[in-house]
Amino acid sequence: MLTEWFKVHDERFESLVLPNVHVDTLFSEGRWLEGPVYVPAGRYLLFSDIPNNRVLRFDEVTGFVTPFLHASNFTNGHTLDPQGRVLSCEHLSRSVTRVEHDGSITVIADTFEGRRFNSPNDVIVTSDGAVWFTDPTYGIATEYEGARVDSEIGSRNVYRVATDGSIRAVLTDFVQPNGLAFSPDGRTLYVVDSGRKPAALYAFDVGSDNGLENRRLLRECDIGIYDGIRLDRHGNIWAGVGDGVQCLAPDGTLLGRIVLPEAAANLCFGGPNRNRLYICATRSLFAVYLNTTPTPGG
């Protein structure tokens, strides 16, 4: 029998979760937690506490949460590249950066056509080394998550940075692009528009030139907004929403929910077997073991 943490909407959800497991509360002293990334080489999780302008570190071995970076430029989303380097979306510097193995910082992108980005939010790296990221205005709208300034670009786009450093705006008509993730075969890109009312999740086919085609609405959010998303190896979409986490089939069908006492912002898979879902939910970091693992590189 499943615990009260899980709500089944489609019988397929039952094969993705485990009976008699519970959701662990790992930390509850944040202000608005975001952007988790699991670093397998160190068995730790990095996650952002944006209004407190810091990045925290959960040590999977000791169970302790400790400060990792103060004055973090109001960092939001993180990811790993194929070489195991951490990439970050920084609201205050309005850039996407990468920490090299020697500790130095490389700026991946901070301007487009001579104008500064708004406030990069979420980021992923594909197997070919390209960096894809969303650029809403949340980090320049108030001082709470960055600095209040006018947008130089005037739009909220999704970008792709090729390995040669060239930058292309691949989506230019979203209200507030937010979470993004690729299907296991890399042929479909899922993107959240959290500024649309109601917030929505879209899917796009990825063309041979990395252009996006065949836009389709998968689902509108019924509780709060869609925020960060991650995919499992079956192509199911795990999305942060107002009452926890939704699990959606690739076609947008709601399979089930992980019910939490706080709105969930972002999430990622981690652990030695990659079967533990870490969830940044408002003030708390939660984790739960699942019967699935992420898409390769996810």
Side-chain angles (χ1 to χ4, degrees), residues 8 23 48 54 60 81 89 101 110 112 122 133 149 159 162 172 179 183 186 219 257 278:
V8 177
V23 175
S48 301
R54 61 180 179 171
E60 193 174 54
D81 70 6
C89 291
H101 292 304
D110 59 0
F112 179 66
D122 206 354
F133 68 95
V149 295
Y159 296 93
T172 59
S183 61
R219 192 172 187 87
R257 301 175 186 259
Y278 289 101

Side-chain angles (χ1 to χ4, degrees), residues 33-285:
L33 301 183
E34 260 280 11
V37 61
Y38 181 74
V39 182
R43 290 196 63 183
Y44 61 82
L45 181 88
L46 299 179
F47 60 102
S48 301
D49 186 1
I50 301 176
N52 285 324
N53 196 17
R54 61 180 179 171
V55 174
L56 300 169
R57 178 183 184 272
F58 168 70
D59 188 310
E60 193 174 54
V61 177
T62 66
F64 293 140
V65 172
T66 55
F68 181 79
L69 181 64
H70 288 292
S72 66
N73 284 329
F74 293 89
T75 290
N76 190 334
H78 297 91
T79 195
L80 289 184
D81 70 6
Q83 289 74 46
R85 298 171 295 188
V86 175
L87 280 75
S88 304
C89 291
E90 299 182 2
H91 283 183
L92 192 62
S93 70
R94 299 159 75 174
S95 65
V96 178
T97 61
R98 182 179 66 219
V99 181
E100 306 298 342
H101 292 304
D102 63 2
S104 61
I105 305 296
T106 297
V107 176
I108 302 299
D110 59 0
T111 60
F112 179 66
E113 297 180 342
R115 293 170 292 176
R116 298 181 68 187
F117 293 117
N118 297 315
S119 52
N121 184 287
D122 206 354
V123 59
I124 51 179
V125 182
T126 50
S127 59
D128 62 358
V131 177
W132 298 65
F133 68 95
T134 55
D135 186 41
T137 57
Y138 294 125
I140 61 172
T142 70
E143 294 81 5
Y144 190 63
E145 295 188 23
R148 188 193 303 266
V149 295
D150 293 332
S151 172
E152 294 184 16
I153 289 179
S155 58
R156 296 115 173 176
N157 304 329
V158 178
Y159 296 93
R160 179 182 184 271
V161 185
T163 53
D164 63 4
S166 60
I167 304 175
R168 176 183 178 187
V170 293
L171 287 176
T172 59
D173 59 349
F174 270 37
V175 181
Q176 294 282 20
N178 201 322
L180 74 173
F182 279 94
S183 61
D185 62 9
R187 296 177 180 175
T188 304
L189 176 68
Y190 299 95
V191 185
V192 167
D193 190 342
S194 56
R196 181 184 180 276
K197 296 186 183 299
L201 175 64
Y202 293 89
F204 299 83
D205 295 336
V206 182
S208 58
D209 63 347
N210 291 298
L212 302 179
E213 307 165 347
N214 187 25
R215 172 179 178 151
R216 51 205 182 272
L217 173 66
L218 286 190
R219 192 172 187 87
E220 295 178 332
C221 191
D222 59 344
I223 301 178
I225 64 170
Y226 286 129
D227 199 326
I229 55 175
R230 290 293 183 271
L231 268 69
D232 66 23
R233 67 177 186 268
H234 308 292
N236 300 308
I237 306 153
W238 299 78
V241 295
D243 65 344
V245 175
Q246 287 186 3
C247 177
L248 309 174
D251 64 358
T253 301
L254 177 62
L255 302 182
R257 301 175 186 259
I258 302 173
V259 181
L260 299 175
E262 302 176 21
N266 214 329
L267 39 82
C268 74
F269 288 89
N273 297 314
R274 307 302 300 277
N275 64 336
R276 196 179 197 191
L277 190 69
Y278 289 101
I279 308 162
C280 288
T282 312
R283 301 197 64 183
S284 301
L285 174 67

Side-chain angles (χ1 to χ4, degrees), residues 4-36:
E4 71 277 8
W5 298 102
F6 301 113
K7 185 174 182 180
V8 177
H9 292 265
D10 184 296
E11 63 181 11
R12 288 173 288 177
F13 187 62
E14 296 180 4
S15 67
L16 302 172
V17 295
L18 297 164
N20 301 320
V21 303
H22 57 275
V23 175
D24 300 310
T25 302
L26 306 177
F27 178 76
S28 58
E29 299 175 14
R31 192 166 297 278
W32 177 248
L33 301 183
E34 260 280 11

